Amino acid sequence: MTLKLYNTLTRCKEEFKPLAPPLVTFYVCGPTVYDYIHIGNARVFIVFDVVRRYLNYRGYRVKMVQNYTDIDDKMIQRAREEGLTVAELAHKYITAYEDDAARLRIRPADLQPRATEHIEPIVKLIQRLEEQGLAYHSGGDVYFNAGGFPGYGQLSHQAPDELLAGARVEPGEWKKNPLDFTLWKGRKEGEPAWESPWGKGRPGWHIECSSMAMHYLGETIDLHAGGADLIFPHHENEIAQSTGATGKLFTRYWLHAGYLNIEEKKMSKSLGNVLTVRRLLEEYNPLDLRFFILSAHYRSPLNFSRELIGQARAGRERLQEFVDNLYRALPGAGTETTGLEEKIRSELISAWRRFDEAMDDDFNTAAAIAVLFELAREGNIYLQKGHPYQRELLEQLLNYFREVNELFEILEIRKPVSLDEELRRMIARREEARRKKDWALADHIRNELQARGIILEDTPHGTRWKHKPGR
RNA sequence: GGCGACAUAGCCAAGUGGUAAGGCAGAGGACUGCAAAUCCUUUAUCCCCGGUUCGAAUCCGGGUGUCGCCUCCA
């Protein structure tokens, strides 16, 4: 089986062949830490974390770098608004990011460098561009000479003159050409600044990513990812800077995640519909958010609404229920067989294959999740008809879900905790009442337990309980 | 204006040539003291019009509609 992925640069699904397998070098454009991250950011980080996990699962050794942009115009402006220094602001929102990401079960990249800690390699890269005649010093700033780089526009598939039509020059800029962009900004009063051959100043936005990507991962990296809105100008400019300096192919495969819209509209400050992860986590289970995001293909636009999260939650709970029921069936299981086991085992093998095929096809998480639903249905048939259950089979199913969950992390896979003495006694009293067909008392106790978050289910093989699903 | 994406059941969403996965919601049924959970059954002229093909949701052309990028943005 071969892994295929869609490369924005070629606009084709291509077979994935890393430069130096099993190593895969992977750079993801991280957050500008001037605010809490929103659900659209979260989609990008969740999706590419899953990509990384899947590559690991496929036997690659992934080296993943995700940066923090901790100096730029937005940082400076926001720091003023909040009455903090830029460094304090960065610290505040990096901490917030780490917290939000952890709650969303996003695993940190192997390296999370900050722009301000890499001024030296950034300066060196700009110097290399100067040597190539691709950078010029003008009005205190240093600009990239876009016209001097023949491949400009290759990622966004636009000819330079077409891009020019929409380009603008901000007041106070000293560009020779509207497509040129800042590599180094000269210091203005009250702004953080670092020493450089061009005087005090700070790096431009695009150069930090080129610099850090190459610094940690080499001049040609395998994978480079971000939101679709980074295609132009950010990633276009990264290519121009990197290849401009080295003469080498910068990124072999470009991956871009689709937008997440709110109620059919793009999220934007001006519409006032930006949903921060922080805010959403007050209301929703993080696993529901992950399930929702992974239930669509990563490149498709995805609409966010209360109703859609509700649908996702209901679906996820079905899978969660199955896993919980496997656990609950385990204590009574043994070596007896009912003849159903072979059928379920072959379903498991089939699911395994189809799951991998789906993921090999440009990380089709939606199709992969469908496979899990089908396996859960087969498993439920076994739980319904296979009593007293073969322990080995239950464990195989559980192990498979555990393995898949290492990739998606959409389920809690853990043994049910035991209830405290008082609740256990209530359940026993209800059992007694049911034996005596005292339905009024039995139902009363059941309601009582429900009010305390415990749901009872009477199965042919005894009563079982579960916690009321959260949120 | 340039570039591009998308249009599949009430809702969400896979599927890129061989007569439509999966989920949610709904309806009916089985099981249950009642529930819950689960299982079974059930719901699609694949936006429209042409064309290519033995055969198209899938390819080509033309419409229509929605959205995005071209400007900070994940």
Side-chain angles (χ1 to χ4, degrees):
Chain A
M1 279 194 303
T2 59
L3 171 61
K4 289 192 174 162
L5 43 79
Y6 182 88
N7 184 354
T8 308
L9 185 64
T10 57
R11 288 183 177 167
C12 289
K13 269 187 206 171
E14 298 176 21
E15 192 173 324
F16 178 57
K17 288 182 183 158
L19 199 58
L23 177 68
V24 172
T25 50
F26 190 7
Y27 188 88
V28 177
C29 288
T32 300
V33 284
Y34 71 114
D35 205 343
Y36 298 110
I37 59 163
H38 59 243
I39 183 67
N41 296 313
R43 181 185 192 188
V44 171
F45 301 135
I46 286 171
V47 150
F48 293 122
D49 178 35
V50 168
V51 164
R52 174 249 221 134
R53 294 186 197 202
Y54 186 68
L55 291 169
N56 279 138
Y57 166 87
R58 291 286 258 102
Y60 293 109
R61 191 166 62 76
V62 182
K63 186 172 180 187
M64 185 184 195
V65 175
Q66 179 178 303
N67 70 300
Y68 288 112
T69 297
D70 60 351
I71 177 68
D72 80 336
D73 291 347
K74 293 196 297 287
M75 292 290 299
I76 290 167
Q77 191 193 334
R78 189 61 186 256
R80 283 195 186 122
E81 287 166 14
E82 295 203 16
L84 298 172
T85 66
V86 169
E88 286 165 348
L89 184 85
H91 179 262
K92 173 179 172 182
Y93 287 112
I94 285 173
T95 305
Y97 171 81
E98 286 169 348
D99 187 43
D100 290 343
R103 290 177 70 195
L104 287 172
R105 317 284 180 102
I106 296 164
R107 293 190 187 152
D110 301 299
L111 294 162
Q112 297 179 285
R114 305 177 191 188
T116 57
E117 292 173 355
H118 289 79
I119 302 298
E120 203 182 310
I122 290 171
V123 166
K124 283 193 176 140
L125 183 58
I126 298 173
Q127 286 176 313
R128 279 178 85 177
L129 289 169
E130 276 188 318
E131 289 160 16
Q132 302 290 326
L134 287 169
Y136 58 90
H137 192 191
S138 170
D141 302 329
V142 181
Y143 294 97
F144 183 86
N145 169 24
F149 181 71
Y152 198 79
Q154 64 186 98
L155 184 67
S156 47
H157 299 95
Q158 295 263 311
D161 56 328
E162 286 162 344
L163 286 165
L164 214 50
R168 262 200 318 231
V169 179
E170 296 294 331
E173 290 188 321
W174 297 81
K175 294 177 186 177
K176 291 177 183 167
N177 179 312
L179 290 180
D180 294 351
F181 52 91
T182 314
L183 296 168
W184 188 262
K185 275 194 182 184
R187 178 175 192 266
K188 295 195 189 68
E189 191 54 39
E191 292 182 358
W194 290 263
E195 293 293 348
S196 85
W198 316 282
K200 283 198 160 195
R202 58 188 166 95
W205 174 36
H206 314 296
I207 195 72
E208 65 170 78
C209 282
S210 284
S211 170
M212 289 189 277
M214 293 197 288
H215 187 257
Y216 290 107
L217 300 174
E219 294 186 343
T220 298
I221 67 177
D222 289 312
L223 299 170
H224 198 130
D229 51 345
L230 294 185
I231 295 170
F232 189 90
H234 185 56
H235 288 161
E236 192 72 62
N237 291 352
E238 281 192 57
I239 291 174
Q241 291 166 334
S242 307
T243 299
T246 66
K248 292 179 187 162
L249 179 67
F250 172 49
T251 291
R252 308 180 70 235
Y253 305 91
W254 287 93
L255 307 179
H256 291 97
Y259 279 100
L260 192 144
N261 300 312
I262 306 291
E263 312 266 359
E264 312 285 347
K265 292 209 173 68
K266 185 179 167 174
M267 238 187 301
S268 76
K269 294 246 151 103
S270 58
L271 286 168
N273 63 352
V274 174
L275 285 176
T276 63
V277 166
R278 198 144 280 228
R279 167 83 186 70
L280 286 169
L281 285 175
E282 288 170 14
E283 201 175 340
Y284 300 109
N285 179 328
L287 298 183
D288 288 338
L289 295 175
R290 289 182 68 91
F291 183 90
F292 167 71
I293 283 166
L294 296 175
S295 67
H297 185 89
Y298 77 94
R299 282 189 285 117
S300 305
L302 180 59
N303 198 34
F304 186 99
S305 73
R306 181 171 291 273
E307 190 202 342
L308 294 174
I309 290 293
Q311 289 188 10
R313 191 191 61 234
R316 192 190 75 78
E317 270 168 15
R318 182 177 163 78
L319 293 178
Q320 183 69 63
E321 191 84 35
F322 173 60
V323 167
D324 291 345
N325 286 342
L326 284 176
Y327 261 119
R328 288 190 285 191
L330 217 42
T335 53
E336 271 183 72
T337 59
T338 52
L340 291 169
E341 285 79 8
E342 281 321 299
K343 167 83 164 55
I344 305 299
R345 226 168 242 123
S346 72
E347 294 291 346
L348 174 57
I349 290 164
S350 156
W352 189 343
R353 178 180 52 77
R354 289 179 297 135
F355 182 96
D356 288 2
E357 280 170 1
M359 288 300 285
D360 276 347
D361 184 12
D362 196 28
F363 312 108
N364 194 335
T365 53
I369 286 173
V371 171
L372 300 184
F373 276 108
E374 288 173 37
L375 181 59
R377 184 173 60 233
E378 295 301 328
N380 276 324
I381 290 171
Y382 184 68
L383 290 176
Q384 193 169 280
K385 298 182 180 166
H387 194 77
Y389 312 128
Q390 188 191 28
R391 169 174 282 269
E392 189 190 350
L393 177 60
L394 297 184
E395 281 176 347
Q396 282 169 338
L397 287 167
L398 222 30
N399 282 338
Y400 183 65
F401 271 81
R402 198 176 282 123
E403 185 166 18
V404 163
N405 203 48
E406 278 297 302
L407 301 175
F408 288 180
E409 211 156 340
I410 50 180
L411 303 170
E412 297 286 4
I413 299 187
R414 35 107 177 87
K415 284 188 180 129
V417 292
S418 56
L419 285 181
D420 67 45
E421 187 58 31
E422 187 195 352
L423 296 174
R424 278 216 303 273
R425 221 174 282 138
M426 284 173 76
I427 293 173
R429 268 186 17 236
R430 177 169 172 277
E431 285 302 279
E432 183 60 29
R434 288 186 72 222
R435 260 197 300 279
K436 292 178 183 161
K437 298 201 191 299
D438 183 351
W439 308 126
L441 178 59
D443 290 351
H444 175 76
I445 295 173
R446 186 167 62 188
N447 290 339
E448 193 86 339
L449 282 163
Q450 190 168 0
R452 296 162 80 154
I454 304 295
I455 308 260
L456 293 187
E457 297 175 352
D458 301 323
T459 78
H461 316 299
T463 296
R464 63 191 188 196
W465 63 271
K466 65 177 179 184
H467 288 289
K468 202 185 283 184
R471 285 178 284 198

